[in-house]
């Protein structure tokens, strides 16, 4: 079974790629550059050249695979509205390529905004609709294709943390605590942010695929 993985050379995506390869899957990873392509091939995956700015390249990769795991996202917080519209465009392109195929389409999402004053669960629908909403409303867009011959699965990642070069929020908080000698918190400290170790997240992605 050949899995097309976008974001395959990223921090989460590279671990997902390793998890899939270790469990007997073939992986074709999206590569924006020669460096990314070489890194993927060194892991034992095939490289598919393209980028988020080229939706047709992602559609071609999706169509050629047996399943898709879409993890790539442009985390440009200075232009987050543009990043959301780009996300919707590429998700739309891949969904259209998969229509009628019955193939799984797993995609990175989140539970932010799904509940207030309590923990969000998988039963809470995403409140985001349309290209100008968070992540371009891609979760609701993908789920709307369940009756169009696509098998969408929303991967609602909380804050992902881990070892080996964690570029994320938890690592940044830890760096601040080491620098200042204290661990800061907001208000009375009653806020709760869900988090998951990268190794557990990658296993969860494989299990969701299976």
């Amino acid at each position: 079974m050949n899995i097309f993985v976008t974001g395959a050379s990223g921090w989460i995506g590279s671990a997902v790629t390793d998890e899939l390869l270790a469990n007997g899957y073939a992986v074709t990873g999206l590569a924006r550059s020669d460096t990314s392509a070489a890194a993927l091939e060194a892991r034992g995956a095939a490289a598919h050249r393209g980028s988020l700015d080229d939706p047709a390249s992602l559609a071609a990769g999706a169509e050629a695979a047996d399943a898709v795991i879409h993890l790539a996202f442009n985390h440009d917080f200075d232009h987050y509205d543009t990043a959301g519209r780009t996300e919707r465009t590429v998700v739309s392109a891949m969904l259209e390529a998969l229509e009628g195929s019955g193939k799984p389409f797993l995609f990175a999402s989140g539970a932010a905004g799904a509940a207030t004053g309590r923990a969000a669960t998988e039963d809470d629908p995403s409140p985001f609709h349309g290209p100008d909403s968070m992540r371009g409303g891609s979760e609701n867009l993908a789920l709307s294709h369940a009756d169009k011959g696509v098998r969408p699965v929303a991967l609602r990642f909380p804050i992902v943390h881990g070892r080996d070069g964690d570029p994320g929020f938890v690592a940044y908080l830890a760096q601040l605590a080491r620098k200042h000698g204290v661990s800061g918190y907001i208000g009375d400290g009653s806020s709760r942010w869900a988090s998951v170790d990268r190794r557990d997240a990658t296993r969860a992605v494989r299990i969701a695929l299976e």
Side-chain angles (χ1 to χ4, degrees):
M1 188 175 186
N2 181 37
I3 316 300
F4 178 50
V5 181
T6 74
S9 57
W11 190 65
I12 298 175
S14 60
V16 168
T17 296
D18 289 344
E19 174 75 12
L20 293 173
L21 291 171
N23 283 274
Y25 294 93
V27 175
T28 300
L30 181 68
R32 292 179 297 173
S33 65
D34 292 340
T35 300
S36 294
L40 284 168
E41 290 165 355
R43 303 183 101 90
H48 175 84
R49 294 302 296 267
S51 75
L52 296 180
D53 296 322
D54 181 9
S57 68
L58 277 77
E63 188 173 17
D66 298 307
V68 176
I69 300 177
H70 174 49
L71 303 175
F73 186 77
N74 181 12
H75 292 280
D76 182 355
F77 292 101
D78 290 329
H79 303 91
Y80 205 69
D81 55 341
T82 300
R85 288 192 291 271
T86 297
E87 171 74 350
R88 189 177 184 88
T89 297
V90 300
V91 168
S92 295
M94 287 188 283
L95 288 171
E96 289 177 8
L98 294 175
E99 283 185 7
S101 68
K103 295 176 182 179
F105 178 72
L106 286 68
F107 57 96
S109 185
T116 302
R118 61 174 175 79
T121 75
E122 63 183 12
D123 293 320
D124 292 308
S126 169
F128 305 115
H129 298 267
D132 294 319
S133 61
M134 184 175 290
R135 296 186 79 97
S138 59
E139 178 171 324
N140 282 307
L141 174 65
L143 295 179
S144 72
H145 280 65
D147 60 354
K148 297 180 181 180
V150 183
R151 294 161 56 195
V153 179
L155 302 169
R156 286 184 164 182
F157 291 117
I159 298 171
V160 180
H161 62 86
R163 298 172 293 179
D164 305 321
D166 184 346
F169 188 54
V170 171
Y172 179 66
L173 292 178
Q175 290 169 9
L176 287 176
R178 292 190 189 100
K179 178 179 179 180
H180 298 288
V182 295
S183 180
Y185 56 84
I186 299 173
D188 62 1
S190 61
S191 297
R192 297 290 184 270
W193 291 336
S195 64
V196 63
D197 186 276
R198 181 173 71 150
R199 293 165 295 181
D200 291 327
T202 58
R203 284 193 290 269
V205 171
R206 175 179 56 80
I207 291 169
L209 170 67
E210 294 172 347

